Structures are given as structure tokens and as C-alpha cells.
Amino acid sequence: MTTPLLLLVESNTTGTGRQFAQRARDLGAVPVLLSADPARYPYAAEDGLRTVVVDTSDDAALWAAVTGLAAAAPVAGVLSSSEYYVATAAGLARRLGLPGPSADAVRACRDKAAQRRTLAEAGVPVPRFSVVGEVAEAIAAAQWLGGPVVVKPVQGSGSLGVRLCRDRDEVAEHAKGLLAATVNERGLRTPGVVLVEQYLTGREFSVEVFGEEAVVTVAKHVGAPPVFVETGHDVPAVLPAAQAAALVDTAVRAVKALGLGWGAAHVELRLDGDVARVIEVNPRLAGGMIPELVRRARGVDLVGAQVRAALGERVDLTRRPDAAGAASIRFLTAGTDSVLADVSAAESAARAVPGVVDAAFYRPAGTRVAPAEDFRGRVGHVIATGTAPGQSAEAAGTALALGLASALTPVAADVPVREAVPV
């Protein structure tokens, strides 16, 4: 009998992309990466992953590649770990009669303007917002909202293009730049509108939902404005009962209102007093190594669950009693233009901290790095576990400060920095 295929449409460049392929193999399927440029994913060559070069933005070319593969071996599932291709994968799964979310719902969800309107109409709490297509409209929206506002693209991930604007000039400048872009960071066409929204100052969280079940609530750490770089996560979040319930209830309501309810959804929220307001719903697994934290803290393998769901197999989200209980990650970012020195020694120092289970740099010694504007500016991470979130958070913070950060050496501001990693 021919081994079934799991088709992976593009991938994320960091985090879970490699794990999708590994889980497929564990479940007896052959992972096949469909990509316009497989070289952008180093793990593909390192792991001997089967790849097919195809223009994944061309529906006809992609369908021809898929049907060609299906003629030689049964296709058992289609997925993408990339924010930019989840709707494409969902559409292919539907055409093949395979499990997956509604492609229309995923496509609408990826448009943050359409998502906001749908949630607001359903009575799900969101920040006040306006969708604009001109700089003058952005300025007017900011005046209507009052105070600092967040201006951001209606598509994208990893805080790319998201910025706090404190006055008219900042709104105009950032909106002008976003509206002038005709393609995004993946070379895909942009819709020509941006979001101007109320700036919420409450704590930020995410609720990881699978199907219509909340698996865990994550406490998120975000760097200083005007950018919103995620600098760490703690699993599980520690909250008063009323706030914890509000976050879970709002997240699940949002998923249902958007017509999702299949597989993973990463719901980002901020507390506004005791009200949980949805910042955005992502119809995919979380990034930022959150699935790895959930696996270590709860024993729930969300990557494996997503692959199982795509293959039509039973998914078990039961917490394992032998899991650590809590897990935290902290990302290294540079406070000023810097160069990475002895990364091996810094990693070793981080790993020596009790509770640390992983420490890694994303770039080699000698690389020049700048302060982060989005997730691409993060240069390394540490992960720690413990019996409680406070314990894992303390270990991760100590390892970051005394370990990884020791590799950053400030350099003159006019020294060129290494290009950001691709998305």
C-alpha cells in the first residue's frame, strides 16, 4: 500500500514549521512541502523533506501540482503553518474532500477589517476601530478615537507594521507608508486599507483554542511602544477567576462568530478593566514557540493535534499529569545597535540556570543586530519549566539576563546591521 501524503503549503521560517513535518512522519504520512522557494526553509534540506517547487500564489499552478501528486499517491491531508497560506491550504483540502476549516471563514478571518466588523456585529468585545484607505481618513479616525491610536495593516503577522501613533503627524506618516505598499513581506498583494484602532493599555493574553475548546490561556509580554514586539510568554496565565473566565468566554465566542471551530485558533486579547477585548483571531497555531510551552507545561501537543485533525484522526487535548505544570519563554532583543559575541558561551550560561530546558541564538557570532521592530528582530530565546508560572518565569528571566544577553556588545549606530530574517 502506498504511504499517504500530508501536503504542507509553504511554512513559517521559525518555530513549528519543522515540527509539522516531524509529526506527519510520526503518524505514518509522508510530508511534502509545496513552496515557491524551499531554500527559505533551511530545515527542509537538513531533514531531507520532500519538496515540490511551485508558485503557491498561483491557484492553477498549485492545483496542478497537487493533482499530480495525488495521481501517484493518496493525499491524506493539507495544512500550512504559515499565516499567509492557511486559507490556501483550507481551499485545497476542501477541493480534495479532506478535513479542514472553512476556506471562506479563514479568508475572512485573515482580513482584520472584516474580522473586526464580524466580531463587533456579533457583540464580541473589540477595541473601537476604523478602516481607512486614505491618509486623511486615518487622521480623521485618530481624532474620532482620541488619544494615542494603533495603526496597522489589515493582513500580516508577527506585529509587522503595527505601530502606536501618538499624534497627527505620526498617524499620517505611518498610514502613508502602509498604504503605499502594494505587496506585503511575502510578495502577496495588499488590499490598500489599514486599521486605525483604540489603544488598549491593559495586560495582553492569548487563549489557545482547538475546535471550540479553550486549551490554555497564555500571559504575553510585549516590548515598549511604539512597536509591539512580543518578548515572552508564560503558560498558564495566572489571573483572578473572573478575568480568566472572561478571556476564555470571549475567545470561544470569537471563534464561533467567525465560523471557525476546526483545528487551532490563536486568539489575542487585552483586558480593559474586567472586559476581555479581542485584538485579533488567527486561524492557525500560535507562533512564538507557544505550542512548545503548552507541550511542556500541559503535555498537550498542539502541533500533533493539528496534524492529526488534518489526517482525520482523533485528537486528544487531555492534560497529562506528568507534564511540568508551567513553562516560560523569553526572547532576546537588542536595546541598541549591537554585535553578537561568543554565542556558545552565552548559551551555556543560560542552560546552566536551574529549570532552563532550551537556549538558542538565531544568528551566529559576529552578526550585527538592531533594536527589534517586529518578531524578525528577536535574536534568541530561552525556555524554562517549573511547577508554577512564577518559577518558570523567574528561571527564564534569569537565563536571559545572565546568559544570552551577555553576548550583546553595543556598536556604533552607523554600523550596518544584518538583514532581518524572512517571514
Side-chain angles (χ1 to χ4, degrees):
M1 180 177 177
T2 306
T3 305
L5 310 179
L6 176 68
L7 306 186
L8 303 171
V9 184
E10 298 292 351
S11 174
N12 50 352
T13 53
T14 60
T16 58
R18 169 178 252 151
Q19 294 176 5
F20 270 69
Q22 292 172 337
R23 299 299 190 275
R25 291 189 181 102
D26 292 343
L27 292 169
V30 175
V32 180
L33 176 65
L34 305 174
S35 173
D37 179 17
R40 73 183 294 123
Y41 315 115
Y43 74 85
E46 293 167 2
D47 296 353
L49 181 62
R50 182 179 174 186
T51 61
V52 173
V53 178
V54 57
D55 183 352
T56 46
S57 65
D58 183 329
D59 289 342
L62 187 57
W63 181 244
V66 169
T67 53
L69 288 165
V75 175
V78 186
L79 280 175
S80 180
S81 63
S82 169
E83 166 78 20
Y84 304 88
Y85 293 92
V86 287
T88 301
L92 289 172
R94 181 174 182 177
R95 291 183 72 175
L96 292 167
L98 298 171
S102 161
D104 290 340
V106 172
R107 195 172 296 110
C109 185
R110 285 210 63 246
D111 182 330
K112 295 179 176 63
Q115 180 188 126
R116 280 289 172 78
R117 293 188 183 107
T118 299
L119 294 177
E121 290 169 1
V124 177
V126 296
R128 291 183 297 133
F129 69 97
S130 183
V131 183
V132 304
E134 301 286 345
V135 172
E137 293 176 346
I139 294 171
Q143 291 173 334
W144 166 64
L145 290 167
V149 294
V150 177
V151 181
K152 65 185 182 182
V154 296
Q155 294 181 356
S157 67
S159 301
L160 287 162
V162 181
R163 195 169 191 88
L164 178 67
C165 298
R166 299 185 181 278
D167 57 36
R168 175 192 179 102
D169 290 343
E170 289 184 359
V171 170
E173 180 182 4
H174 192 53
K176 180 180 179 180
L178 293 178
L179 291 168
T182 56
V183 296
N184 65 16
E185 54 282 351
R186 278 275 189 157
L188 305 174
R189 283 191 303 172
T190 56
V193 294
V194 300
L195 268 177
V196 181
E197 66 184 29
Q198 174 190 10
Y199 174 45
L200 300 177
T201 59
R203 293 176 63 195
E204 185 168 342
F205 300 88
S206 71
V207 177
E208 308 311 316
V209 178
F210 203 94
E212 295 182 352
E213 178 182 347
V215 177
V216 70
T217 300
V218 181
K220 301 171 76 69
H221 300 264
V222 180
V227 293
F228 295 86
V229 180
E230 294 181 355
T231 57
H233 312 296
D234 298 318
V235 177
V238 178
L239 286 154
Q243 292 182 345
L247 289 165
V248 167
D249 177 69
T250 301
V252 173
R253 286 173 58 201
V255 166
K256 292 179 178 179
L258 293 167
L260 298 174
W262 182 94
H266 171 60
V267 186
E268 298 178 339
L269 313 96
R270 277 189 184 253
L271 286 174
D272 185 12
D274 285 336
V275 177
R277 298 192 183 276
V278 175
I279 301 300
E280 62 185 52
V281 178
N282 300 280
R284 54 167 172 80
L285 281 175
M289 304 291 285
I290 288 175
E292 179 65 10
L293 300 184
V294 175
R295 186 185 71 82
R296 290 184 178 276
R298 296 299 180 92
V300 177
D301 181 4
L302 290 175
V303 178
Q306 190 80 335
V307 172
R308 282 183 174 276
L311 295 174
E313 299 194 10
R314 188 179 70 88
V315 172
D316 183 6
L317 301 174
T318 306
R319 178 179 175 180
R320 290 174 57 95
D322 58 344
S328 299
I329 188 169
R330 295 294 182 269
F331 295 102
L332 178 66
T333 58
T336 186
D337 291 336
S338 304
V339 64
L340 291 178
D342 190 342
V343 296
S344 296
E347 281 184 3
S348 296
R351 292 176 183 274
V353 175
V356 170
V357 294
D358 184 37
F361 281 93
Y362 308 147
R363 305 171 195 177
T367 301
R368 290 179 171 85
V369 295
E373 292 284 326
D374 51 58
F375 81 100
R376 295 173 301 181
R378 301 188 301 214
V379 294
H381 72 256
V382 293
I383 296 176
T385 60
T387 57
Q391 185 182 44
S392 62
E394 182 179 3
T398 299
L400 185 75
L402 301 183
L404 296 197
S406 65
L408 288 175
T409 302
V411 297
D414 59 352
V415 175
V417 299
R418 188 183 184 94
E419 289 186 4
V421 297
V423 297

